[in-house]
Amino acid sequence: MNLTWTDEQQMMKRMVRQFAEEKVAKAAEHMEETDEFPREIVKEMGELGLMGIPIPEKYGGSEMDYASYILAIQELSRVSAAVGVILSVHTSVGTNPILYFGTEEQKKKYLPKLASGEYLGAFALSEPGAGSDAAAMKTTAKKQGDHYILNGSKAWITSGGEADTYIVFAKTDPSAGSKGVSAFIVEKDFPGFHVMPKEKKMGLHGSNTTPLSFEDCQVPVENLLGKEGQGFKIAMANLNTGRIGIAAQSLGIAEGALDAAVAYAKERKQFGKPIGMMQGMSFKLADMATMYEAAKLLTYQAADLVSRGLPAGKQASMAKMYASDAAMKITTEAIQVFGGYGYTKEYPVERFFRDAKVTQIYEGTNEIQHIVIGNHYLRD
Ligand code: CAA
Ligand code: FAD
């Protein structure tokens, strides 16, 4: 068993850490104040080759392994969870469905633009009435001549209004449950496609989350992804690996909070000595660091399986569930280490705490991850 990174992976980690500390950190402050989407950062990520890390070179990507991609998400999220999720959604569920299920024409048309960052990708599965129970979606797609006509609405779409392409799921056969769902590549300017005003969120400021509305939206038949009825499997297959991206985002948030807490515990003095010298504080930091390391091992294991082309659904759900819970616990404790100062905006730990919460909710809540993991042992 080899637990060391390759030279290429270490290079990626160093490069993204430098970019995150030099560029993203400054943008994160601005995003926090204004909730503005970081368009310039996305452009720079494209120039650095980050928007297509695991995409083959023949489609314009960097053709690096999945573990390198996971390292990049972690490094970005250590500084800004919002930038981390923009990249994760773009790649894992916004681009990969085309790579794995697209026709050659679809790959040639969309992948080079997505991999270079000229296009930003999004994924539209959830609906106002169908979140965890994704198969209960109400959006429909009816074939009429050389178009599908989509009607309905989607909720909580990351990069809504900023993305150029949306992988949209709709029912071509509403009577067939999950087997009646189909997937489509929808471009932002297709007639009948509308982006609704963005949500006002607790955290992840700068990452747009919007509802979408489809009113007789015309999608050319050649933009059906996979076959009719294959949509639910496409969604689940991409979430299987996508969830590792959220695990990596959680790791980044946890690492940012842990680094800040350790530095503060060394510097802040009470009772004549640094608070880190008190056993009550050092035990806390030891627990935080141990949870972080355990989350790291689960996440890197899942990423390594994907890099080697092996099934990783169970490990991805375990990594997402454990790492997001670890991030919540570590960020909560980080605020405690900072005392009253941790409760103010003077330090970044309160932002890490607010950003950590959503990792327990999206890409399948942690209750849903329990179901997925349980099914691996009890059903399959
Ligand atoms: N991988 C592959 N196939 C899967 C699968 C998986 N993980 N889970 C289910 N399937 C297949 C099943 O094998 C089954 O196929 P067959 O009928 O051919 O056997 C079919 O899909 C239906 O399976 P179920 O009956 O188990 O489906 P269900 O309706 O009970 O739902 C669920 C299962 C796991 C709860 C699923 O609905 C789910 O994952 N829900 C959570 C939704 C989610 O994760 N949304 C994330 C949106 S994206 C996002 O959030 C992005 C972001 O925040 C940044
Ligand atoms: P519900 O499904 O209504 O769940 C409410 C509660 O009930 C949760 O605690 C849940 O765990 C629990 N629950 C539900 N069913 C069960 C069960 N069977 N057993 C036990 N407990 C259960 N979606 C997209 O498609 N694309 C995106 O890009 C996207 N980005 C997002 C960004 C943000 C910031 C947020 C907040 C959400 C995003 N989502 C996105 C949606 C996200 O995936 C859903 O919010 C999530 O799947 C939960 O759905 P819900 O909010 O409808 O909650």
Side-chain angles (χ1 to χ4, degrees):
M1 193 180 185
N2 188 353
L3 289 176
T4 54
W5 296 110
T6 62
D7 289 348
E8 198 183 37
Q9 288 162 342
Q10 285 181 37
M11 222 163 62
M12 167 64 79
K13 189 175 162 69
R14 272 198 304 273
M15 189 260 281
V16 183
R17 177 161 293 205
Q18 192 181 351
F19 170 67
E21 289 182 344
E22 285 176 7
K23 301 277 175 71
V24 180
K26 199 152 175 266
E29 284 173 26
H30 183 72
M31 287 154 69
E32 198 50 37
E33 278 165 27
T34 61
D35 201 19
E36 249 172 50
F37 184 82
R39 185 45 70 186
E40 191 55 33
I41 290 290
V42 172
K43 185 168 161 268
E44 288 183 51
M45 290 200 295
E47 286 160 6
L48 289 172
L50 301 183
M51 301 297 278
I53 298 174
I55 308 301
E57 274 178 12
K58 75 170 180 166
Y59 298 120
S62 306
E63 198 164 337
M64 292 178 79
D65 63 3
Y66 203 77
S68 303
Y69 159 65
I70 286 306
L71 277 178
I73 303 278
Q74 180 182 347
E75 287 300 331
L76 291 169
S77 304
R78 180 174 160 270
V79 172
S80 165
V83 173
V85 78
I86 291 167
L87 185 65
S88 179
V89 166
H90 166 82
T91 311
S92 301
V93 287
T95 304
N96 278 347
I98 302 176
L99 178 65
Y100 293 123
F101 296 95
T103 60
E104 199 47 42
E105 288 71 36
Q106 288 169 341
K107 290 183 198 181
K108 283 191 182 134
K109 180 168 180 191
Y110 292 109
L111 290 180
K113 288 182 174 159
L114 286 161
S116 67
E118 183 186 339
Y119 274 13
L120 183 65
F123 180 81
L125 178 68
S126 307
E127 295 189 357
S132 299
D133 186 6
M137 70 179 69
K138 294 268 185 276
T139 301
T140 55
K142 282 192 186 144
K143 199 169 173 187
Q144 270 179 23
D146 53 5
H147 282 82
Y148 282 93
I149 307 298
L150 269 59
N151 278 291
S153 58
K154 294 285 168 186
W156 312 109
I157 306 310
T158 298
S159 300
E162 296 293 339
D164 300 276
T165 52
Y166 297 76
I167 307 295
V168 177
F169 298 86
K171 284 199 170 154
T172 38
D173 182 356
S175 63
S178 65
K179 290 189 168 44
V181 176
S182 301
F184 301 90
I185 308 167
V186 175
E187 294 184 27
K188 66 177 177 190
D189 46 14
F190 281 178
F193 172 79
H194 307 289
V195 177
M196 310 308 280
K198 69 180 179 185
E199 304 291 347
K200 290 183 180 146
K201 302 192 299 293
M202 172 198 278
L204 279 191
H205 295 147
S207 162
N208 278 19
T209 313
T210 73
L212 304 175
S213 153
F214 301 85
E215 287 173 32
D216 290 330
C217 174
Q218 295 173 35
V219 180
V221 285
E222 59 268 23
N223 278 35
L224 172 72
L225 189 59
K227 297 194 175 69
E228 266 194 28
Q230 212 189 351
F232 196 71
K233 294 246 173 171
I234 293 176
M236 292 298 126
N238 284 287
L239 286 168
N240 279 346
T241 49
R243 285 167 180 155
I244 310 171
I246 302 305
Q249 185 200 23
S250 311
L251 274 185
I253 298 169
E255 190 180 6
L258 182 58
D259 288 352
V262 169
Y264 190 78
K266 285 183 184 167
E267 166 206 309
R268 171 77 174 169
K269 288 195 177 115
Q270 288 293 282
F271 301 99
K273 58 182 177 184
I275 56 168
M277 302 274 283
M278 324 282 187
Q279 199 177 57
M281 282 291 111
S282 70
F283 276 23
K284 197 182 284 301
L285 290 166
D287 284 341
M288 290 158 72
T290 306
M291 281 185 90
Y292 167 69
E293 288 295 326
K296 216 159 78 166
L297 288 174
L298 272 174
T299 306
Y300 294 170
Q301 172 195 238
D304 179 57
L305 288 171
V306 177
S307 291
R308 290 191 283 135
L310 296 168
K314 179 180 75 178
Q315 288 81 0
S317 283
M318 286 176 168
K320 190 271 182 191
M321 183 172 84
Y322 187 85
S324 58
D325 284 348
M328 198 66 242
K329 178 90 176 138
I330 291 167
T331 54
T332 307
E333 291 291 52
I335 292 180
Q336 196 67 16
V337 171
F338 274 77
Y341 295 102
Y343 199 64
T344 70
K345 290 191 183 290
E346 195 177 328
Y347 291 95
V349 283
E350 64 83 34
R351 169 164 65 89
F352 289 133
F353 168 82
R354 286 184 286 106
D355 288 349
K357 184 59 207 167
V358 77
T359 63
Q360 295 178 309
I361 296 170
Y362 56 25
E363 294 219 9
T365 64
N366 284 0
E367 289 78 11
I368 293 302
Q369 305 312 322
H370 276 87
I371 295 175
V372 174
I373 297 161
N375 284 345
H376 275 278
Y377 288 95
L378 301 167
R379 198 168 74 173
D380 301 340

